[in-house]
Amino acid sequence: SLALFSAAQGASRVMTGIASELALKWNLPWFCCCIGSGGGTGGVPRPAFLLLASLVSAASHFVLAVTTTEEGFAFGVTLSGVAFGMVWPMMVLITGEVFGTRHVGANYMFFDGFSSAVGTLLLSKFVAQEVYDEHIIEHQGDPGFAGGDFKCYGPGCFRMSHLIVSLLSLTCIVSSIGLIRSTRDVYQRRRQR
C-alpha cells in the first residue's frame, strides 16, 4: 500500500504541474465562469486544481471507510496518493503566484508547516487513536478477545477516522472556491502576459 501511495502521489505531482500550466491557457465556455479567470475568457486558475484534489481526497477516504476488500483498499490508497500529490505542488505554485517569489519559502512554510503540524497532531494523534482505542474497548467482552491483546481487528478500526477526514476534505471545497474567487485577478494578469 505504501508503494501504491508513493507511485500515485509522484505521478500526480508531475501530471498536475503539467495540467495546471496548460489549463491556464484554456479558453473556457461562458458557463465555466465560476472557475475561469474572468467570465469565460480566461483559463483555469491553479486553485481549481485544489478543488479537484479536495474532491478526490473526500472520495478516497470514503472508499477507505467503506471498503472491505483488498482491491477496494488499494483503490482508496491510490486515490489518496493522487489527492496528496495534487495538493502540495499546487500550494507552492499558488503561494509564489499570489504573494510573489521573493519570500516564497517563508510564505509556503506558513501554509505547509503550520497546517501539516496541526493536522497531523489532531487527526493522527487524537482522532485516529481515539477511534482505534474505542474499537478495542468495545470488543474486549467478545469471546475471541484475548486478555491484554490491544490490537484492533476488522474494518471498523479506522472507519470513523476516514469518514471524518472525508468530511474535512469536503470543507476544503468551500475554501478552494473562495481561493478561486479571491485570486481571479492574479490569474487574469498572468494570462495577459
Side-chain angles (χ1 to χ4, degrees):
S1 65
L2 183 59
L4 276 175
F5 180 87
S6 297
Q9 69 93 17
S12 179
R13 286 175 189 244
V14 172
M15 297 309 293
T16 303
I18 293 169
S20 72
E21 191 64 33
L22 294 173
L24 289 170
K25 298 174 180 82
W26 290 346
N27 285 319
L28 299 175
W30 65 270
F31 55 83
C32 294
C33 65
C34 62
I35 62 164
S37 299
T41 61
V44 177
R46 290 194 208 275
F49 285 87
L50 292 178
L51 177 69
L52 179 61
S54 300
L55 290 168
V56 173
S57 178
S60 71
H61 284 282
F62 183 75
V63 167
L64 289 169
V66 299
T67 192
T68 56
T69 65
E70 287 182 27
E71 293 82 9
F73 178 75
F75 181 65
V77 167
T78 304
L79 278 180
S80 187
V82 167
F84 183 83
M86 290 177 78
V87 169
W88 300 116
M90 288 297 100
M91 293 284 287
V92 174
L93 294 170
I94 292 167
T95 300
E97 290 170 348
V98 172
F99 299 110
T101 56
R102 185 167 183 197
H103 299 289
V104 75
N107 290 332
Y108 173 70
M109 281 314 297
F110 174 75
F111 294 112
D112 182 32
F114 179 73
S115 64
S116 293
V118 171
T120 299
L121 178 66
L122 293 177
L123 295 174
S124 297
K125 174 68 176 145
F126 297 119
V127 173
Q129 182 177 343
E130 185 64 32
V131 169
Y132 188 87
D133 289 348
E134 187 64 33
H135 192 75
I136 290 172
I137 290 169
E138 286 177 9
H139 294 286
Q140 282 185 351
D142 290 351
F145 182 78
D149 184 12
F150 292 104
K151 293 181 183 168
C152 187
Y153 299 100
C157 299
F158 293 104
R159 177 171 287 142
M160 187 56 67
S161 298
H162 286 296
L163 289 174
I164 290 169
V165 172
S166 188
L167 290 173
L168 288 173
S169 294
L170 291 176
T171 66
C172 293
I173 293 169
V174 175
S175 327
S176 298
I177 291 170
L179 188 61
I180 290 168
R181 291 176 184 263
S182 66
T183 60
R184 185 171 283 166
D185 61 329
V186 171
Y187 291 99
Q188 279 179 340
R189 285 192 307 266
R190 181 176 165 90
R191 181 167 167 85
Q192 292 170 355
R193 283 192 252 165

